[in-house]
Amino acid sequence: MMNITELTLKELASYCAHKQLSIGVAESVTAGYLQFVLSQMPDAMHIFNGGVTAYNIGQKVKHLGVDYTQGMRCNCVSEITAQTMAVNACRLLNSRMGIAITGYASPVPEEGITDLHAYMAIAIDGKISHTHKLYSKETSAAQAQQDYVQQVMAEMLLHLQRLNR
């Protein structure tokens, strides 16, 4: 039996091949897991250009153009951070589509973060096409990361299907 990720990957690969879309990824909270999953896509060599895992603000500023002051205000967990990461994933990885995710995989009680959430953004041809806030009820960081990737894949496919109408 095929799980949702395998089904989604086949549909995503088909859509990207048809629209001649290449994919670049910028991720933080999922620590490379989204890149791993996309590398499993059929014909990934011709669609998936690669990705950047920027786990702290210094790397997000240096490689993905995140504004330091804005990033410090929100611990780099915001819609604008995800959008900046997605647009710059397109530029950095020479991709028509940039996918970005940033968020929390575990609570940070000292900062008042008790609910796990993340922001994802999709840029197409260097412009923001979609942004979405994700939530996870998982109890371990690894499970939350997997949950986020499942949500990103589903949300990405839904958005692309909407664009195709």
Side-chain angles (χ1 to χ4, degrees):
M1 187 165 169
M2 197 175 279
N3 69 32
I4 190 168
T5 301
E6 291 168 336
L7 287 170
T8 303
L9 285 173
K10 282 185 175 185
E11 291 178 63
L12 180 61
S14 176
Y15 181 89
C16 288
H18 178 71
K19 296 290 186 176
Q20 298 181 330
L21 283 176
S22 53
I23 300 173
V25 172
E27 60 186 309
S28 179
V29 65
T30 47
Y33 188 58
L34 181 57
Q35 293 170 66
F36 169 75
V37 168
L38 288 171
S39 76
Q40 306 304 302
M41 178 175 23
D43 212 21
M45 188 67 103
H46 301 300
I47 298 167
F48 178 52
N49 286 358
V52 174
T53 301
Y55 215 63
N56 62 47
I57 189 170
Q59 300 311 307
K60 287 181 182 93
V61 169
K62 180 177 180 176
H63 300 291
L64 296 167
V66 171
D67 179 82
Y68 181 81
T69 304
Q70 189 276 333
M72 285 300 291
R73 272 191 290 245
C74 61
N75 200 21
C76 285
V77 178
S78 70
E79 184 174 88
I80 190 76
T81 300
Q83 291 173 343
T84 301
M85 290 169 63
V87 166
N88 284 299
C90 287
R91 177 192 54 78
L92 186 65
L93 295 157
N94 195 31
S95 300
R96 288 200 54 217
M97 182 165 48
I99 312 297
I101 182 168
T102 185
Y104 296 100
S106 57
V108 186
E110 62 273 15
E111 293 183 26
I113 307 299
T114 55
D115 294 327
L116 302 185
H117 64 280
Y119 292 90
M120 66 163 287
I122 299 171
I124 297 178
D125 294 327
K127 296 182 178 151
I128 294 302
S129 178
H130 183 65
T131 306
H132 188 71
K133 188 172 184 179
L134 310 170
Y135 297 93
S136 182
K137 298 287 186 196
E138 297 297 339
T139 55
S140 78
Q143 289 172 325
Q145 290 168 320
Q146 290 176 353
D147 182 35
Y148 287 143
V149 169
Q150 288 277 347
Q151 290 183 61
V152 166
M153 296 301 298
E155 189 67 27
M156 185 174 17
L157 191 58
L158 282 172
H159 177 65
L160 294 174
Q161 288 169 341
R162 276 184 246 137
L163 288 178
N164 210 29
R165 289 184 188 151

